[in-house]
């Protein structure tokens, strides 16, 4: 599914040198390695401020806490994402409202969000938290319009979208605040847990710096109840190295995605509709979006059998996500029965992520498509 050894082997010496520097200067928490990465990351994204933190989950929480989206406010997000998109809202003390996804992009559908915004709510809706799933931005102009019309804070869950953009504007500078994850499988990855929050609003940046350090502006003077959400120096050092390679790595991912498109088209398996019949529905890059192919996700009506068949042939695949968030045991209390979000529920039954990473070889992709053709024919 992903061979990280191919990513690290060519840069092993560079990584070791960066880690040795942290050790030599003993800047284990925040410090120069993290500050250096924050500057480079902000420049890369074209955003005013970037703050390193301990994980993508902490990044989401920091974003919500800094914008004072807590008890007494409701946040709308998607039921088809990683758990942290919702758990961070709950941890911030807010109420969660879910809205169904667009079946083509798997991202939050702005039309459904608008319907919710028009309905009376007991707890006022204060923020939208769209997720840029699989490396493609959620339909941003529509969310920006809704944000302006209803005076909402827009928080991007950009955990899967380093380098993605909408109309040339990077994920990470589209909304009021954005949260990134550098979990080791992400396009831009750390050697452990790490995350980043970005914003163009200096007052929010200042609050996030304070909140990630137990609410301290001055050492041992706590202005608010924050959290320990700091980034380690070692992670900052690794990220600084990996950031240099990200343009090339994202370019190679795009090439690999294009190769899958071509191989599926040539095999006659690719179907044109939204939902699969006998073949597979391929992922689409929509107008305005620059996709960075964190995942290459197909739909198949026989998804579970197909996955088993691939596993038998030692071909990796993954289901992101097999259970939509409203059907997770931990979130039963949100009160959404089966059938609440038909698109998310259908996607959970049909999606299958195929191996994609910068170093994947064309012959490996041919083997993947060949095996899928063998199963479906
Ligand atoms: C969409 C999404 N949101 C949030 C997160 C949380 O990031 P982390 O695992 O770094 O806490 C992840 C990654 O796992 C993710 O994919």
């Amino acid at each position: 599914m992903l061979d990280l050894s191919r990513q690290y082997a060519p840069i092993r010496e560079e990584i070791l040198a960066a880690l040795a520097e942290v050790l030599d200067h003993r800047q284990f928490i925040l410090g120069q390695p993290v500050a250096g990465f924050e500057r480079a990351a902000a420049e890369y994204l074209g955003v005013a401020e970037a703050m390193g933190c301990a994980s993508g989950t902490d990044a989401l929480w920091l974003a919500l806490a800094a914008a004072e989206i807590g008890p007494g406010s409701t946040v709308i997000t998607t039921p088809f994402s990683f758990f942290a998109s919702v758990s961070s809202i709950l941890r911030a003390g807010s109420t969660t409202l879910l809205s169904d996804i667009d079946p083509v992009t798997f991202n939050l559908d702005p039309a459904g969000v608008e319907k919710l915004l028009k309905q009376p709510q007991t707890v006022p809706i204060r923020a939208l938290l769209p997720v840029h799933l699989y490396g493609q931005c959620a339909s941003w102009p529509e969310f920006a319009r809704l944000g302006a019309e209803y005076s909402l804070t827009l928080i991007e869950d950009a955990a899967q979208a380093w380098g993605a953009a909408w109309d040339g504007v990077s994920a990470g500078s589209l909304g009021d605040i954005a949260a990134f994850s550098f979990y080791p499988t992400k396009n831009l990855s750390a050697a452990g847990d790490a995350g980043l929050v970005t914003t163009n609003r200096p007052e929010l940046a200042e609050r996030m710096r304070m909140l990630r350090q137990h609410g301290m502006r001055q050492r041992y003077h706590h202005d608010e109840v924050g959290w320990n959400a700091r980034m380690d120096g070692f992670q900052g050092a690794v990220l600084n190295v990996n950031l240099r390679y990200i343009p090339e790595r994202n370019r190679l991912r795009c090439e690999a995605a294009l190769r899958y498109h071509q191989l599926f088209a040539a095999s006659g398996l690719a179907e044109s509709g939204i939902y699969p019949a006998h073949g597979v529905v391929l992922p689409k890059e929509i107008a305005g979006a620059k996709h960075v192919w964190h995942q290459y996700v197909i739909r198949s009506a026989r998804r579970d059998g197909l996955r088993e068949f691939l596993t038998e042939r030692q071909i990796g695949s993954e289901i992101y996500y097999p259970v939509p968030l409203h059907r997770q045991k931990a979130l039963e209390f949100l009160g959404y029965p089966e059938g609440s979000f038909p698109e998310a529920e259908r996607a959970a039954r049909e999606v299958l992520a195929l191996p994609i990473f910068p170093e994947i070889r064309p012959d490996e992709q041919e083997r993947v498509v060949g095996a899928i053709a063998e199963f479906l024919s």
Side-chain angles (χ1 to χ4, degrees), residues 244-263:
R244 288 181 214 136
Y245 294 96
I246 199 75
E248 176 63 2
R249 288 183 189 158
N250 276 353
R251 190 186 65 74
L252 290 169
R253 279 177 185 273
C254 292
E255 264 183 39
L258 188 63
R259 196 173 301 117
Y260 269 135
H261 289 343
Q262 290 163 347
L263 288 168

Side-chain angles (χ1 to χ4, degrees), residues 65-83:
E68 298 180 82
I69 308 293
S73 56
T74 293
V75 182
I76 301 179
T77 192
T78 164
F80 197 59
S81 180
F82 180 62
F83 187 68

Side-chain angles (χ1 to χ4, degrees), residues 54-58 60 81-85 131-133 157-160 180-183 186 193-195 294 321:
S55 67
T57 307
D58 272 344
L60 285 168
S81 180
F82 180 62
F83 187 68
S85 305
V131 180
H132 305 322
L133 202 69
D157 182 339
Q160 303 186 2
F180 289 94
S181 163
F182 303 127
Y183 184 81
K186 299 291 196 264
D193 274 315
H294 172 57
Y321 295 92

Side-chain angles (χ1 to χ4, degrees), residues 3-330:
D3 183 358
L4 272 179
S5 67
R6 293 188 213 173
Q7 181 171 310
Y8 278 101
I11 58 167
R12 185 183 154 83
E13 295 309 316
E14 219 177 322
I15 294 275
L16 288 177
L19 294 175
E21 206 175 312
V22 176
L23 202 56
D24 290 346
H25 295 94
R26 292 161 303 282
Q27 292 199 310
F28 295 129
I29 293 172
L30 296 174
Q32 200 40 52
V34 173
F37 170 65
E38 290 173 341
R39 278 194 300 276
E43 193 179 328
Y44 185 95
L45 297 173
V47 67
E49 305 266 4
M51 281 68 53
C53 60
S55 67
T57 307
D58 272 344
L60 285 168
W61 172 78
L62 279 169
L64 291 157
E68 298 180 82
I69 308 293
S73 56
T74 293
V75 182
I76 301 179
T77 192
T78 164
F80 197 59
S81 180
F82 180 62
F83 187 68
S85 305
V86 165
S87 66
S88 57
I89 296 171
L90 299 170
R91 187 173 148 207
S94 304
T95 303
T96 307
L97 264 184
L98 300 176
S99 186
D100 212 352
I101 56 167
D102 171 333
V104 173
T105 62
F106 304 102
N107 279 325
L108 189 60
D109 179 1
V113 171
E114 186 157 20
K115 267 192 211 147
L116 276 181
L117 288 166
K118 285 184 174 150
Q119 289 167 12
Q121 303 289 338
T122 39
V123 184
I125 298 167
R126 297 261 326 278
L128 304 182
L129 198 153
V131 180
H132 305 322
L133 202 69
Y134 304 149
Q136 175 160 246
C137 289
S139 236
W140 207 260
E142 283 144 293
F143 288 116
R145 175 181 65 78
L146 292 176
E149 218 171 297
Y150 291 87
S151 303
L152 305 169
T153 300
L154 298 184
I155 297 174
E156 301 168 63
D157 182 339
Q160 303 186 2
W162 187 275
W166 190 283
D167 279 341
V169 180
S170 288
S173 64
L174 292 164
D176 293 286
I177 315 182
F180 289 94
S181 163
F182 303 127
Y183 184 81
T185 58
K186 299 291 196 264
N187 287 30
L188 176 59
S189 61
D193 274 315
L196 190 81
V197 266
T198 57
T199 183
N200 284 311
R201 293 173 50 188
E203 77 284 5
L204 292 176
E206 194 277 331
R207 281 185 56 72
M208 289 190 275
R209 286 201 180 88
M210 177 266 296
L211 287 165
R212 77 175 167 180
Q213 284 254 58
H214 285 297
M216 286 190 285
R217 290 190 169 88
Q218 191 189 341
R219 205 165 171 76
Y220 303 129
H221 294 257
H222 302 269
D223 299 339
E224 285 185 46
V225 180
W227 203 251
N228 173 359
R230 300 173 297 229
M231 184 189 278
D232 285 346
F234 283 129
Q235 301 308 340
V238 170
L239 283 162
N240 249 321
V241 175
N242 277 329
L243 185 61
R244 288 181 214 136
Y245 294 96
I246 199 75
E248 176 63 2
R249 288 183 189 158
N250 276 353
R251 190 186 65 74
L252 290 169
R253 279 177 185 273
C254 292
E255 264 183 39
L258 188 63
R259 196 173 301 117
Y260 269 135
H261 289 343
Q262 290 163 347
L263 288 168
F264 277 116
S267 72
L269 290 174
E271 292 177 344
S272 57
I274 294 176
Y275 308 109
H278 305 293
V280 298
V281 171
L282 304 182
K284 290 174 191 67
E285 183 175 30
I286 55 166
K290 179 186 161 210
H291 203 315
V292 286
W293 302 100
H294 172 57
Q295 300 297 342
Y296 188 91
V297 178
I298 60 168
R299 277 187 193 256
S300 163
R302 297 167 63 197
R303 192 270 314 275
D304 291 336
L306 173 59
R307 183 162 194 232
E308 240 170 71
F309 185 82
L310 293 177
T311 307
E312 279 164 18
R313 275 150 193 74
Q314 298 192 310
I315 295 173
S317 64
E318 195 49 85
I319 301 168
Y320 304 111
Y321 295 92
V323 182
L325 295 174
H326 65 289
R327 302 305 296 151
Q328 295 287 349
K329 185 163 176 263

